Amino acid sequence: MISLLSTLLNGLSLGSVYAIIALGYTMVYGIAKMLNFAHGDVIMIGAYISFSAILYWNVPPILGFLLAMLVCTVLGIVIERLAYKPLRQATSLAVLITAIGISYLLQNGAQLIWGANTKAFPTMVSLPNATLFGGSITISNNTISLLGDQLKISGNMLVTILACVVIMVALTLFINKTKMGKAMRCVSEDKGAAELMGVDVNKTISLTFAIGSALAAVAGVLLCTSYPVLQPTTGAMPGIKAFTAAVFGGIGSIPGAMVGGILLGIIEKLGQTYVSDQLGDAFAFAVLIIVLLVKPTGLMGKKVHEKV
Amino acid sequence: MSLLKVDDIHVYYGAIHAIKGVSFEVNEGEIVTLIGANGAGKSTTLNTVAGLLKPRSGLITFDGKPLNNVPAAKTVSLGMALCPEGRRIFQQMTVKENLEMGGYTRPAKEVPASIEEMFERFPRLKEREKQIAGTLSGGEQQMLAIARAMMSKPRLLMLDEPSMGLAPILVEQIFDIIKELHAAGVTILLIEQNAQAALSVADRAYVMETGNITMEGPADELLHNDDVRKAYLGD
């Protein structure tokens, strides 16, 4: 029972990272109708930036994290402007190939700057040691122990899950309540009609890339705090998994990306714990295939309803 | 003084010469209609005026200012609104959100009052305020599309086939709305396949055929013109 609970928590934490990455995929897909396969590598750049800031420039972790967000936001806007915008009218295959090209460019660029060796990512989260509720909860060594020391939650896990919750709430409010968020929904539904309302479509697409890339930076830092091995290909696998999560939840749907990401993380951890340590990924992808067979639009994919 | 003046515009879709030198004007306070068969280039003309398409040559002026290089998103704040063919309301948003988007270019504090005005004019929309727009009936969707276009307080309202696909009783309602909006001082450029109804409300009319304007004149004159009656009114 405790082991199941602990597996679920681990899955929730991993799934939170997938969800944050998947949000970037799904938002860009929803607005620009393209799969930005370089998204995973923006994660890696974000992680390297905060790594460099903290270890080389001795910046406090929180500032290193904010710097990574800033750099990735700019990077996302620049990538869109230089690589994807000129292809707005091109076939989707051309855009896809460009995205894969950008992905390699970022990986090789990172290798050039930081080298191919793996780097140990620094600790970002430090919890104070404490004993609460007469010893039923103790915090030491950056780990919270509950239920008489049987259930352990690391500070990283806690921060990851909290960050994911904050991002989900903030993004949902932004999309549904703000003028810019509503403009994004319009562009995603009908670019021409959005233009007729006076919405600047190019600016909206830039904004989407900016938000997606800032989220990628957050995901990169969170991922590397939990799995502190950093190398130029760090973003590739989580990127693919988050893309899977976005499809799983229904690509283009923001709640879908959240649910898809979290479920994928939990399924992967359950598979690792109860089926086979090596087959966690295979298990997760098998579930994806089954879901898509039953519901091709994904869990929360939009049905296009038309009425004449 | 004409509010909108279109002077000899040519529009291409790739190699296809869709609009071959079309000229017309709309004066302040008028209802002008472009009638013609399917594929004559009526929608293309309207989309070009709204900035969604670029003319290869020719001049479009609105209120004396050239419009040729103004993108669609900017024409709204100049005082033009296009209610596009097929309505193109935002299906996944609520009725109220659709109206809010119509007022996108206006100061945020003026928008709620305008929405209330639209609800007064279209009580059905008020009843369906929080409903997802895609679930509205065809007639309600058309009302929403017109109300959404009116949210920008346009001086020129362009309506592209507002009666398309609607039952006769609803067509009548839509034309009543057009008359009401006109009475309230809005200049209207109307495209219709329903030539009878369009000519009945309009002041002046242009007939389009395969990318050209072939006839023009006061609407009631065209309504009684034999050629027009034969070609477009089913006589």
Side-chain angles (χ1 to χ4, degrees):
Chain A
M1 189 57 212
I2 296 289
S3 125
L4 177 66
L5 200 59
S6 143
T7 306
L8 287 176
L9 275 171
N10 270 315
L12 184 62
S13 159
L14 178 65
S16 295
V17 176
Y18 289 159
I20 297 169
I21 309 170
L23 283 170
Y25 265 112
T26 222
M27 284 173 75
V28 164
Y29 181 83
I31 302 278
K33 300 287 176 276
M34 66 162 289
L35 295 172
N36 178 19
F37 274 118
H39 190 60
D41 302 292
V42 177
I43 297 166
M44 170 272 297
I45 298 287
Y48 268 115
I49 296 291
S50 59
F51 166 85
S52 300
I54 297 164
L55 285 191
Y56 300 159
W57 312 326
N58 295 317
V59 166
I62 184 74
L63 283 184
F65 167 69
L66 291 175
L67 183 69
M69 278 181 79
L70 183 70
V71 170
C72 285
T73 303
V74 174
L75 182 67
I77 295 173
V78 169
I79 290 174
E80 195 276 328
R81 191 60 55 85
L82 296 183
Y84 303 147
K85 196 180 170 200
L87 299 175
R88 212 50 74 66
Q89 312 298 332
T91 61
S92 53
L93 206 55
V95 183
L96 188 69
I97 291 167
T98 307
I100 293 172
I102 296 292
S103 164
Y104 281 116
L105 183 73
L106 293 178
Q107 284 183 22
N108 292 340
Q111 192 169 338
L112 199 68
I113 299 172
W114 288 285
N117 296 337
T118 55
K119 304 256 190 289
F121 199 77
T123 314
M124 298 286 286
V125 181
S126 49
L127 297 177
N129 291 346
T131 308
L132 303 166
F133 303 112
S136 57
I137 301 175
T138 53
I139 305 172
S140 67
N141 227 347
N142 253 343
T143 305
I144 306 165
S145 307
L146 297 139
L147 302 172
D149 231 18
Q150 293 185 64
L151 183 65
K152 289 184 192 313
I153 304 170
S154 73
N156 293 336
M157 268 166 67
L158 191 68
V159 168
T160 303
I161 295 169
L162 285 179
C164 182
V165 170
V166 169
I167 286 171
M168 284 179 180
V169 171
L171 202 60
T172 307
L173 287 176
F174 173 76
I175 290 291
N176 290 311
K177 299 289 174 206
T178 68
K179 195 169 166 178
M180 272 195 278
K182 286 177 190 173
M184 282 172 77
R185 283 160 64 203
C186 288
V187 172
S188 137
E189 214 184 298
D190 186 338
K191 279 197 187 63
E195 253 184 292
L196 290 177
M197 304 298 111
V199 176
D200 186 329
V201 170
N202 282 329
K203 248 191 222 157
T204 311
I205 293 177
S206 282
L207 177 70
T208 309
F209 272 86
I211 295 175
S213 304
L215 292 181
V218 177
V221 173
L222 292 175
L223 187 75
C224 287
T225 8
S226 295
Y227 306 89
V229 182
L230 183 54
Q231 58 192 48
T233 53
T234 288
M237 198 57 194
I240 294 289
K241 293 230 191 99
F243 166 63
T244 311
V247 175
F248 187 29
I251 189 122
S253 155
I254 287 178
M258 297 170 182
V259 172
I262 286 173
L263 282 182
L264 192 76
I266 290 176
I267 293 166
E268 187 182 323
K269 285 292 173 193
L270 284 175
Q272 271 175 9
T273 311
Y274 295 105
V275 182
S276 152
D277 202 13
Q278 273 90 47
L279 285 180
D281 291 353
F283 194 64
F285 281 92
V287 172
L288 169 83
I289 291 170
I290 293 166
V291 167
L292 290 185
L293 280 175
V294 179
K295 203 166 178 301
T297 51
L299 291 175
M300 308 180 92
K302 287 171 199 157
K303 263 186 279 165
V304 183
H305 38 169
E306 268 176 38
K307 202 164 188 178
V308 180
Chain B
M1 155 87 186
S2 57
L3 183 59
L4 174 73
K5 193 166 165 50
V6 173
D7 192 11
D8 194 29
I9 57 165
H10 291 257
V11 184
Y12 290 75
Y13 287 115
I16 299 162
H17 196 175
I19 302 293
K20 305 162 184 165
V22 161
S23 304
F24 64 91
E25 55 187 327
V26 181
N27 298 315
E28 192 110 48
E30 275 186 320
I31 301 185
V32 171
T33 183
L34 292 180
I35 58 173
N38 233 342
K42 307 186 301 289
S43 291
T44 306
T45 305
L46 224 51
N47 287 337
T48 308
V49 171
L52 288 175
L53 297 168
K54 298 273 161 263
R56 195 171 287 183
S57 63
L59 191 65
I60 304 171
T61 45
F62 181 73
D63 203 15
K65 289 184 275 297
L67 269 191
N68 283 44
N69 290 312
V70 178
K74 292 273 186 305
T75 59
V76 188
S77 27
L78 292 178
M80 283 164 61
L82 170 62
C83 178
E85 184 178 7
R87 314 187 250 277
R88 288 169 76 172
I89 54 164
F90 300 110
Q91 306 248 346
Q92 286 154 15
M93 299 178 111
T94 65
V95 167
K96 191 172 178 199
E97 283 172 331
N98 266 276
L99 293 177
E100 283 170 0
M101 285 314 297
Y104 185 77
T105 52
R106 297 193 38 218
K109 57 174 189 287
E110 290 177 28
V111 172
S114 287
I115 291 180
E116 279 315 310
E117 265 172 54
M118 290 305 143
F119 282 157
E120 252 166 61
R121 198 182 284 282
F122 304 98
R124 285 300 283 276
L125 296 182
K126 169 81 182 165
E127 288 163 31
R128 310 217 179 284
E129 184 176 345
K130 298 217 161 64
Q131 201 169 317
I132 298 295
T135 63
L136 298 179
S137 73
E140 289 163 348
Q141 290 196 12
Q142 186 60 59
M143 284 180 198
L144 178 58
I146 295 175
R148 186 183 65 175
M150 287 300 298
M151 281 295 298
S152 65
K153 292 224 159 172
R155 293 171 64 193
L156 175 67
L157 174 66
M158 299 185 280
L159 298 167
D160 194 344
E161 304 274 10
S163 75
M164 191 169 68
L166 298 184
I169 176 127
L170 290 171
V171 174
E172 213 171 291
Q173 268 187 39
I174 295 295
F175 276 93
D176 284 343
I177 291 166
I178 293 172
K179 280 185 241 167
E180 278 172 39
L181 293 175
H182 180 236
V186 185
T187 306
I188 293 169
L189 174 56
L190 170 68
I191 279 187
E192 261 298 334
Q193 281 192 59
N194 186 341
Q196 176 81 45
L199 291 173
S200 313
V201 294
D203 299 304
R204 289 187 307 111
Y206 295 84
V207 179
M208 271 193 93
E209 260 173 61
T210 57
N212 292 297
I213 285 183
T214 52
M215 226 185 289
E216 60 176 281
D220 51 351
E221 238 170 66
L222 288 182
L223 192 56
H224 299 103
N225 177 297
D226 286 344
D227 293 337
V228 173
R229 294 200 70 82
K230 233 178 250 156
Y232 303 108
L233 302 174
D235 280 7

